[in-house]
Amino acid sequence: GLCFGGAIPQGSFSEDDFTNKTNGYANTGFLLSFDAAWFPDEYLGVGATVTYASNNPDKTQYIGDFKESIMDSISISDPDLTELINESIVLDYGVWKYLNFFVGPNVTFPAGNFNFDLRLMGGVSFAWKPYQTIDINYPEEGSFSRKIEDKAVPALGYSIGGGIRYAFKSGYVLRFIAEYANCKPTFEYITKVTYNQEEESFDVETDEAQMPIKNIHLGIGIAYNFEL
């Protein structure tokens, strides 16, 4: 079956403390899921899912916090450059994305034309953190630019949830799904930008951290029952 819906961020993934590298600033995003399940008997089966989800971060909040951290550093080391550089800083931040390939047991409880489903799935997630770009252009000192790309990072992941199916006589099925999905990939981050007075240049500090990407998936879609 095919489902469309929303991905609602949970925990630190949705929080916006710039000093905490596990905070993702994530907003509610988009979900696309393709699922298949085989039930050898009336109640127990095995299923697989390929799920794509994306969450736009709160870019305004993130960029504002990042710029504030840069300006705090510059204000301490060289107050004379503060106003000039503040107007010259250009930041950008991309989108959270992930692609899950999960398999696992399924349980269903039939009730007339309805089926009430439960499933626990696990497998591999490929996650992309938002790219980070910094451009600082100032007339006398030159310019500074740095970017961390949004490369796919594999990690183990899982999901747990359930759904409701309503079967039509034609064999088509209307589906509703609700599940919790979690993976924890390790990403590289730009954590700090400082101004070096002696060399009259900017220094960038990077670090790696595990990001707990947690979402509630809510979707609606269609499926087809193959009578095997």
Side-chain angles (χ1 to χ4, degrees), residues 19-23 96 129 132 146 148-149 151-154 184-192 204-212:
T19 61
N20 187 335
K21 293 187 290 292
T22 66
N23 283 191
W96 292 102
K129 74 172 289 294
Q132 287 178 289
R146 179 66 187 271
I148 291 185
E149 300 285 352
K151 297 181 291 186
V153 175
K184 202 171 183 180
T186 299
F187 295 116
E188 181 185 11
Y189 294 85
I190 298 173
T191 57
K192 192 174 183 181
V204 172
E205 295 181 15
T206 62
D207 196 5
E208 290 188 346
Q210 285 189 319
M211 168 59 72

Side-chain angles (χ1 to χ4, degrees), residues 199-221:
E199 298 183 5
E200 297 184 344
S201 63
F202 286 92
D203 296 325
V204 172
E205 295 181 15
T206 62
D207 196 5
E208 290 188 346
Q210 285 189 319
M211 168 59 72
I213 300 178
K214 302 176 182 179
N215 266 325
I216 297 291
H217 294 166
L218 298 176
I220 182 172

Side-chain angles (χ1 to χ4, degrees), residues 1-227:
L2 191 65
C3 279
F4 300 88
I8 305 171
Q10 304 295 304
S12 63
F13 186 44
S14 66
E15 295 172 357
D16 56 4
D17 179 2
F18 185 78
T19 61
N20 187 335
K21 293 187 290 292
T22 66
N23 283 191
Y25 289 73
N27 290 324
T28 297
F30 170 75
L31 168 72
L32 173 63
S33 177
F34 179 77
D35 309 285
W38 174 57
F39 290 91
D41 68 22
E42 190 174 4
Y43 299 103
L44 299 177
V46 62
T49 182
V50 178
T51 303
Y52 170 82
S54 65
N55 296 86
N56 278 306
D58 185 346
K59 289 188 180 183
T60 301
Q61 181 70 41
Y62 178 84
I63 290 174
D65 290 348
F66 197 0
K67 189 172 185 179
E68 182 180 348
S69 75
I70 296 174
M71 295 311 302
D72 287 346
S73 172
I74 294 172
S75 297
I76 295 171
S77 58
D78 192 342
D80 295 334
L81 282 176
T82 299
E83 184 176 353
L84 174 62
I85 294 177
N86 184 45
E87 298 173 353
S88 304
I89 296 176
V90 179
L91 305 173
D92 198 8
Y93 197 51
V95 178
W96 292 102
K97 297 175 289 187
Y98 58 87
L99 185 64
N100 295 336
F101 297 90
F102 291 171
V103 297
N106 285 223
V107 179
T108 190
F109 302 96
N113 286 353
F114 287 93
N115 279 79
F116 298 90
D117 302 323
L118 295 174
R119 66 183 191 179
L120 173 63
M121 315 284 276
V124 178
S125 298
F126 293 91
W128 292 258
K129 74 172 289 294
Y131 62 80
Q132 287 178 289
T133 61
I134 304 173
D135 290 294
I136 305 176
N137 300 299
Y138 41 105
E140 297 181 0
E141 309 295 333
S143 63
F144 170 83
S145 181
R146 179 66 187 271
K147 181 175 184 179
I148 291 185
E149 300 285 352
D150 52 345
K151 297 181 291 186
V153 175
L156 296 178
Y158 71 90
S159 65
I160 182 170
I164 300 174
R165 289 178 286 148
Y166 179 81
F168 298 98
K169 291 182 179 180
S170 62
Y172 286 96
V173 175
L174 180 65
R175 301 177 64 225
F176 299 92
I177 63 168
E179 64 183 8
Y180 170 80
N182 186 0
C183 66
K184 202 171 183 180
T186 299
F187 295 116
E188 181 185 11
Y189 294 85
I190 298 173
T191 57
K192 192 174 183 181
V193 179
T194 58
Y195 183 72
N196 187 320
Q197 282 183 282
E198 294 182 359
E199 298 183 5
E200 297 184 344
S201 63
F202 286 92
D203 296 325
V204 172
E205 295 181 15
T206 62
D207 196 5
E208 290 188 346
Q210 285 189 319
M211 168 59 72
I213 300 178
K214 302 176 182 179
N215 266 325
I216 297 291
H217 294 166
L218 298 176
I220 182 172
I222 58 172
Y224 189 81
N225 278 336
F226 293 94
E227 298 293 339

